[in-house]
Amino acid sequence: QSALTQPASVSGSPGQSITISCTGTSSDIGNYRYVSWYQQQPGKAPKVMIYDVSNRPSGVSNRFSGTKSGNTASLTISGLQAEDEADYYCTSYTSASTYVFGTGTRVTVL
Amino acid sequence: EVQLVESGGGLVQPGGSLRLSCAASGFIFSDYWIHWVRQAPGKGLEWVSRIKYDGTSTFYADSVQGRFAVSRDNAMGTVYVHMDSLRVEDTAVYYCVRGARGYYFVDHWGQGTLVTVSS
């Protein structure tokens, strides 16, 4: 159950688009469409932004979108805003009926 | 309003035991899986365990398998995690998290309780 691999940090200017990758294996991301993404602001509990690879819960901005190809999932934030500055984590269901989180990505708005 | 309130955290010596509780309200507790997720200070999230809505199935991360045991009391609306043989690396904020009904993600988080394993 190794953690999914994410870049440690990604940055962009306001209005730009950024993409965060999340790489797993055929035992997790590659075999299921049960990938979700969470945003964690400092000192707060995480909040779900995307579920089932590309679905947004109600209330989440449509600037957030998700995709998957093979063993890698991606989260794209379009029209980057200062309020998007946070840590982002991917997670996937696994063949062992467990879950695994990604290593986390710090998003900085320049 | 969905609420999950963890309690029971504190300081424990390596090799010791601790039981965390999670009191739920604002939803039909017996309809939902409940997960435990932890976060070491300054580190990322780590999925720990989950328990089925009726308590008949539990799953654990390899890092806690055989040392942690999750249970629930649906009449009380409470989930427990009993942690044995605690290690320094178990030091973390432990979050109680509700699984989204019919889906494979989690949708509501508690505020967490801090467990510190240190001599």
Side-chain angles (χ1 to χ4, degrees):
Chain A
Q1 284 182 349
S2 298
L4 307 175
T5 301
Q6 298 179 230
S9 63
V10 173
S11 62
S13 299
Q16 287 187 328
S17 293
I18 61 168
T19 297
I20 303 168
S21 62
C22 171
T23 301
T25 69
S26 58
S27 295
D28 38 68
I29 293 176
N31 203 31
Y32 301 97
R33 288 193 61 82
Y34 303 136
V35 177
S36 50
W37 290 88
Y38 299 85
Q39 176 193 68
Q40 187 178 31
Q41 304 280 2
K44 293 192 174 182
K47 169 188 174 185
V48 60
M49 306 302 284
I50 294 286
Y51 68 94
D52 291 357
V53 173
S54 59
N55 293 311
R56 274 187 314 275
S58 61
V60 172
S61 170
N62 60 8
R63 298 185 297 104
F64 291 84
S65 61
T67 59
K68 189 191 90 156
S69 177
N71 295 341
T72 299
S74 298
L75 174 72
T76 297
I77 308 174
S78 305
L80 198 61
Q81 298 180 2
E83 66 200 46
D84 300 331
E85 194 161 282
D87 292 327
Y88 291 83
Y89 296 89
C90 58
T91 189
S92 174
Y93 182 71
T94 81
S95 59
S97 300
T98 61
Y99 288 74
V100 59
F101 275 94
T103 50
T105 298
R106 173 70 54 86
V107 169
T108 302
V109 182
L110 302 172
Chain B
E1 180 190 5
V2 173
Q3 285 200 320
L4 298 159
V5 180
E6 303 92 338
S7 60
L11 175 64
V12 60
Q13 292 190 334
S17 299
L18 204 61
R19 189 183 79 161
L20 306 182
S21 301
C22 169
S25 61
F27 62 100
I28 301 174
F29 182 70
S30 57
D31 282 353
Y32 291 84
W33 287 78
I34 299 294
H35 301 239
W36 288 94
V37 176
R38 68 184 181 184
Q39 187 168 33
K43 303 296 184 182
L45 300 171
E46 180 186 11
W47 181 86
V48 173
S49 180
R50 65 180 178 131
I51 183 166
K52 194 175 179 180
Y53 42 82
D54 59 2
T56 59
S57 290
T58 55
F59 298 91
Y60 300 91
D62 288 347
S63 57
V64 306
Q65 180 76 50
R67 300 188 299 120
F68 287 17
V70 180
S71 60
R72 65 191 295 161
D73 182 337
N74 282 352
M76 297 292 292
T78 303
V79 174
Y80 307 95
V81 57
H82 187 87
M83 305 183 293
D84 284 330
S85 303
L86 283 163
R87 306 167 180 168
V88 171
E89 55 265 35
D90 293 319
T91 295
V93 172
Y94 284 74
Y95 292 101
C96 172
V97 195
R98 191 184 81 167
R101 190 178 180 193
Y103 291 91
Y104 289 80
F105 71 99
V106 293
D107 61 359
H108 286 275
W109 297 65
Q111 284 305 299
T113 186
L114 176 62
V115 172
T116 302
V117 184
S118 174
S119 55

